[in-house]
Amino acid sequence: MSRAAHRVMFALSCDPRTGTAMDCMEPPRLFLCPISMELMEDPVTVSTGVTYDRRSIEQWLFAYGRTTCPATMQRLSNFDLTPNHTVKRVIYSWLDYGSASSSLSSQSPSTMSSPTARDLSTPLSRLLEQERLREVLDDLEETPFKVTALKNMRASMAGDVAMQSEFVASDGVRVVCRVMAQALAESGAGSDFSAFTACEEAAAVLAVLPLSDDASVRVVLSPECIRPVMALLQRGSAESRLHAVDIVTKISNAGGGDWTAGVDIDDVIKSLLELLSYEASTRLSSRALGVLLDVVERSQGGRAKAVEVGAVHVLVELLADADNCHVTERILLLLKCLCKCSEGCLAFAEHDLSVAAVARTMLRVSELATQLAVKVLWLVSVVEPSEKVLEDMVLTGAAAKLLGLLHVESAPSTKQTTVRMVRIHDVVWRQYPCFPTYDGDCLILLD
């Protein structure tokens, strides 16, 4: 057996501090790949004598085009990867040994009440994952393999509540936020692709977390973290933008503070509208609309700024093509919010499709959509009336739908608003031949 294998076997059976036998639940560092810091599945040795996991070293050599040994930085004399069967066999033996120890301890009723027994009854893979997570966090800011480390970290926490809790308890949110800020600074204007990729991967890790506890929210709200998130929202990939939107949505829902206080509202609104203007997934559109609504409602002057940069136009175009109930409702909610100011009503009136797009949703999508559509039409035809809107309401069939709404079950407030609207515009609308005749008795208010 080789000298390295002897060292491994000694680590398996002995406490490194005392030399006494012990149940080793923590994997010896010799079992971990120097690149990924994960337990090696297929250990191979390069020409310098260092052993790596095959997948990691192949990515280093062939995907990244490197010609050096990652651990020693010596130039490799060749790219041969020699399987290290000894290390692989010993790793498997160690895993089998740990599993057997865990199984025996879980079958001993006399010791189950002690904390040590409870630890041993935890699946070995769980302990390995938690320890690996802590090690990666400790080395994350210094490792040159940040992207790989972040990807592995994200994969280990996806859908795993226990691992997410371990991450938060280990101050992982703060560490990842520092890495994200550092990567963004190194990327400059985005020319350093690898640094910006690390920033994107760091955001992907944060997006996996619930971000509902006060401590995590405070960290994410810090300028060090929120600025990189906004940078990804503006110039990240489609997936990174979704992650940025997810992060903002979570901290907004947590109610831990005003995330808009430290960001440029104009840039945020423009980025969200740009995102919505492109063909995007339903999930991304829904989340982006939610963030846009949050910006408009939270920030001072956000409503006027949104109108100024063309939000009403974009929302109308989206509404005309929307085929998802939730997305439709959010668009209508935003239009209602924007049309509460004169600038919003004017922008709505100027768009040729606006009235038709809103009328299309009435009595078709949901009860909430109908309520919101009626409220939008009330704002643009009564609160801030324009001759063009009144004409469009007749020509697009919106006025006829309002009459139809009087004969179906709907919320009392919606029906009362409809009755008042028809009463106010009845004289004007009757001048159009296409306006349907109706029994005036149906306009009796339901007080």
Side-chain angles (χ1 to χ4, degrees):
M1 185 179 290
S2 67
R3 184 178 301 176
H6 279 295
R7 289 200 303 269
V8 171
M9 292 304 295
F10 182 80
L12 282 175
S13 57
C14 300
D15 187 324
R17 296 165 296 181
T18 64
T20 59
M22 63 177 289
D23 289 336
C24 298
M25 301 304 292
E26 178 180 351
R29 294 190 70 86
L30 197 60
F31 291 1
L32 305 180
C33 174
I35 296 177
S36 67
M37 294 308 296
E38 292 188 357
L39 197 67
M40 290 186 283
E41 296 178 2
D42 186 9
V44 295
T45 303
V46 298
S47 60
T48 58
V50 182
T51 298
Y52 301 90
D53 188 68
R54 181 182 294 275
R55 181 172 58 181
S56 297
I57 190 62
E58 283 183 345
Q59 184 179 40
W60 170 265
L61 295 175
F62 307 126
Y64 296 155
R66 306 296 176 87
T67 60
T68 57
C69 172
T72 66
M73 297 311 294
Q74 293 177 317
R75 185 171 296 278
L76 296 171
S77 59
N78 58 67
F79 296 145
D80 294 339
L81 304 177
T82 305
N84 193 325
H85 297 297
T86 302
V87 171
K88 184 174 183 178
R89 184 169 58 252
V90 175
I91 289 176
Y92 281 1
S93 298
W94 179 79
L95 289 173
D96 290 339
Y97 176 81
S99 298
S101 298
S102 177
S103 175
L104 288 174
S105 65
S106 66
Q107 296 172 7
S108 176
S110 62
T111 60
M112 284 304 292
S113 59
S114 68
T116 302
R118 284 197 300 272
D119 291 342
L120 290 175
S121 66
T122 304
L124 178 62
S125 59
R126 169 65 62 192
L127 293 177
L128 289 175
E129 286 294 329
Q130 291 176 348
E131 180 60 29
R132 189 176 302 141
L133 177 64
R134 288 190 288 268
E135 288 184 358
V136 172
L137 280 173
D138 290 341
D139 299 336
L140 186 59
E141 293 183 71
E142 303 300 328
T143 179
F145 309 105
K146 287 184 175 61
V147 173
T148 299
L150 289 165
K151 283 183 177 180
N152 293 335
M153 192 181 298
R154 176 188 176 191
S156 69
M157 292 192 296
D160 192 329
V161 176
M163 288 296 289
Q164 293 172 13
S165 299
E166 179 69 26
F167 178 88
V168 173
S170 302
D171 204 24
V173 174
R174 190 179 305 278
V175 173
V176 170
C177 282
R178 284 202 298 262
V179 168
M180 186 163 58
Q182 177 188 359
L184 181 67
E186 292 175 355
S187 72
S191 56
D192 188 338
F193 177 76
S194 61
F196 197 72
T197 301
C199 184
E200 292 183 318
E201 289 299 333
V205 171
L206 293 181
V208 169
L209 303 170
L211 299 178
S212 56
D213 61 292
D214 292 341
S216 295
V217 171
R218 284 196 299 272
V219 172
V220 177
L221 282 174
S222 66
E224 180 184 50
C225 185
I226 200 67
R227 285 172 186 163
V229 172
M230 291 299 104
L232 292 177
L233 184 63
Q234 293 170 35
R235 67 174 195 261
S237 64
E239 186 179 16
S240 297
R241 288 184 171 193
L242 176 58
H243 293 152
V245 168
D246 280 347
I247 292 169
V248 172
T249 300
K250 289 173 182 177
I251 62 174
S252 175
N253 292 340
D258 183 7
W259 66 270
T260 66
V263 301
D264 189 320
I265 297 300
D266 283 352
D267 287 343
V268 173
I269 293 176
K270 288 177 182 177
S271 298
L272 290 169
L273 291 177
E274 180 183 359
L275 191 61
L276 291 167
S277 297
Y278 297 138
E279 291 186 9
S281 66
T282 299
R283 179 189 175 196
L284 181 53
S285 296
S286 179
R287 295 290 179 87
L289 288 167
V291 174
L292 181 57
L293 181 63
D294 202 37
V295 172
V296 169
E297 292 183 336
R298 281 179 182 268
S299 59
Q300 184 177 7
R303 187 178 299 160
K305 290 178 181 178
V307 173
E308 183 180 346
V309 297
V312 173
H313 179 91
V314 172
L315 292 172
V316 168
E317 297 287 338
L318 282 175
L319 187 61
D321 297 327
D323 56 4
N324 177 272
C325 176
H326 191 57
V327 170
T328 299
E329 291 170 351
R330 289 205 165 188
I331 295 173
L332 289 168
L333 189 58
L334 266 164
L335 285 174
K336 178 187 127 179
C337 182
L338 297 179
C339 288
K340 286 182 178 179
C341 65
S342 300
E343 298 87 350
C345 287
L346 179 60
F348 184 91
E350 290 175 346
H351 199 296
D352 292 335
L353 292 178
S354 57
V355 174
V358 171
R360 169 179 169 269
T361 66
M362 294 170 59
L363 300 172
R364 177 182 176 184
V365 177
S366 67
E367 184 176 349
L368 176 58
T370 298
Q371 294 176 20
L372 292 170
V374 169
K375 186 60 178 177
V376 170
L377 293 178
W378 169 268
L379 290 171
V380 298
S381 70
V382 177
V383 179
E384 294 284 345
S386 76
E387 184 176 337
K388 181 178 182 301
V389 167
L390 293 179
E391 181 179 8
D392 286 348
M393 288 180 71
V394 177
L395 299 179
T396 62
K401 277 201 170 185
L402 290 174
L403 292 177
L405 188 58
L406 298 175
H407 299 283
V408 299
E409 287 292 330
S410 60
S413 60
T414 300
K415 187 158 289 190
Q416 289 179 5
T417 301
T418 303
V419 169
R420 292 173 63 190
M421 216 181 321
V422 174
R423 278 188 174 277
I424 291 171
H425 301 311
D426 177 59
V427 174
V428 175
W429 285 342
R430 283 184 181 273
Q431 298 175 11
Y432 294 88
C434 57
F435 185 64
T437 58
Y438 63 93
D439 185 357
D441 292 340
C442 71
L443 297 180
I444 298 175
L445 285 173
L446 306 176
D447 294 331

